[in-house]
Amino acid sequence: MTWTDRLGEFGIWRRSTEINETLAVEIERLGYGTIWLGGSPAADLIEAERLLDATESVVLATGIVNIWMSDAAELAESYRRIAARHPGRLLVGIGSGHRERQHERARPLEAMSSYLDVLDAAGVPQEDRLLSALGPRMLELARARSAGTHPYLTLPAQTAEARETLGDGILVAPEQTVVLDTDPVSARKAAREFLTPYLRLSNYSNTMKRGGFSDDDVQGSGSDDLVDRIVIHGDATTLLEGLRAHLAAGADHVCVQAVPSVSALEVYRALAPTRRSVTDS
């Protein structure tokens, strides 16, 4: 079984500090194939192990382990421990964080390559890890030394570019932020509050500009056009159309991050695979 089969069409992206066993069980019951642990989970992967123990089949993926904050040898040891108990249910997403927050860091590409060398030596299979690759050179490294890529805050057109660069058989699993709110004023306000801190981080603002946005679009709290296109808002049908746009562009899987204008669980239920299977039948 490939990761595309295991991950399912949609997953849930949520900070590791904001999810517990009860919520994980409910996400699995709703039919989502994967829970993505955001917020730079630690190398011990305790949160992932705890949620895997509480569930039966859902995949746990890290989105992402920060290579500047997590020791590679410890991460490898954690992977081996968890994979032995839950084979086929742990996907290790790795990324290089933000220049503004890790001032001492070396060149990200070189540092990532060295980090992967440690994982190789410690027996972490290439097919059980993927990279948060926003730029073209990191995408090339993802293709050569991992299962694929987990982009964050990108457009379907950039999903298509990633697919073209990586080719077939390489995992493309973008994150998509959503706001379940049909009032464009309040929805845009929630989306902008979420997005503004990311616009101060050069890796994201540069990626947005590579996606076609201007310098003016990424200034301050972002233009309306940028906010509307990066963070999908509207009713459940509109949100699903936005998620499926990534699939149509070549994604294997899309992970949903809910900005809670309503409770996040309400969003998960509105978009749930189990609900859609009943509606479609």
Side-chain angles (χ1 to χ4, degrees), residues 4 36 68 76 86 91-92 95 123 132 173 195-196 198 214 266 277-278:
T4 300
W36 293 80
W68 306 106
H86 300 286
L91 180 60
V92 182
S132 176
L195 193 58
T196 297
Y198 290 103
S214 68
E266 185 175 336
S277 65
V278 171

Side-chain angles (χ1 to χ4, degrees), residues 6-222:
R6 294 175 193 163
L7 296 180
E9 186 178 52
F10 298 144
I12 296 299
W13 192 104
R14 194 170 176 91
R15 292 187 179 277
S16 58
T17 55
E18 299 174 354
I19 185 167
N20 57 26
E21 292 91 334
T22 300
L23 181 55
V25 169
E26 178 65 7
I27 289 170
E28 181 176 63
R29 189 191 68 79
L30 290 170
Y32 292 99
T34 308
I35 296 170
W36 293 80
L37 295 182
S40 300
D44 60 20
L45 298 182
I46 291 297
E47 297 98 336
E49 187 171 27
R50 173 171 51 84
L51 299 180
L52 285 168
D53 287 344
T55 53
E56 296 181 1
S57 61
V58 72
V59 169
L60 265 292
T62 56
I64 48 80
V65 172
N66 187 321
I67 65 172
W68 306 106
M69 299 167 62
S70 298
D71 179 72
E74 182 184 2
L75 179 64
E77 181 180 351
S78 300
Y79 165 83
R80 293 194 303 269
R81 179 187 78 245
I82 297 170
R85 297 182 58 227
H86 300 286
R89 295 182 62 199
L90 178 64
L91 180 60
V92 182
I94 309 162
S96 59
H98 312 293
R99 186 175 303 279
E100 293 82 357
R101 295 177 181 173
Q102 282 89 36
H103 299 288
E104 76 284 359
R105 71 185 199 167
R107 293 179 181 271
L109 202 67
E110 295 174 4
M112 180 63 77
S113 183
S114 297
Y115 199 91
L116 294 175
D117 289 343
V118 175
L119 297 185
D120 285 342
V124 178
Q126 177 174 312
E127 61 269 21
D128 284 357
R129 65 197 192 206
L130 80 168
L131 307 188
S132 176
L134 296 174
R137 290 185 296 172
M138 195 66 80
L139 271 175
E140 291 290 348
L141 186 64
R143 177 173 63 178
R145 302 193 61 183
S146 80
T149 184
H150 169 50
Y152 189 84
L153 300 180
T154 54
L155 301 170
Q158 291 170 295
T159 293
E161 292 172 0
R163 172 55 65 208
E164 183 176 359
T165 298
L166 296 173
D168 295 334
I170 304 296
L171 184 66
V172 178
E175 173 271 351
Q176 177 62 60
T177 309
V178 302
V179 179
L180 182 62
D181 187 348
T182 57
D183 181 340
V185 175
S186 58
R188 187 178 287 156
K189 180 177 184 293
R192 180 167 272 117
E193 288 175 354
F194 160 81
L195 193 58
T196 297
Y198 290 103
L199 297 178
R200 303 188 186 110
L201 302 174
S202 59
N203 57 341
Y204 291 123
S205 61
N206 288 337
T207 298
M208 291 172 192
K209 287 190 281 187
R210 283 197 297 270
F213 294 107
S214 68
D215 288 336
D216 289 339
D217 285 322
V218 302
Q219 291 301 310
S221 58

Side-chain angles (χ1 to χ4, degrees), residues 232-269:
I232 302 168
H233 54 83
D235 61 14
T237 299
T238 300
L239 303 190
L240 284 168
E241 288 174 354
L243 298 173
R244 287 171 175 153
H246 283 284
L247 298 175
D252 300 285
H253 168 86
V254 183
C255 38
V256 181
Q257 180 173 189
V259 174
S261 57
V262 294
S263 76
L265 187 54
E266 185 175 336
V267 181
Y268 305 159
R269 287 171 175 158

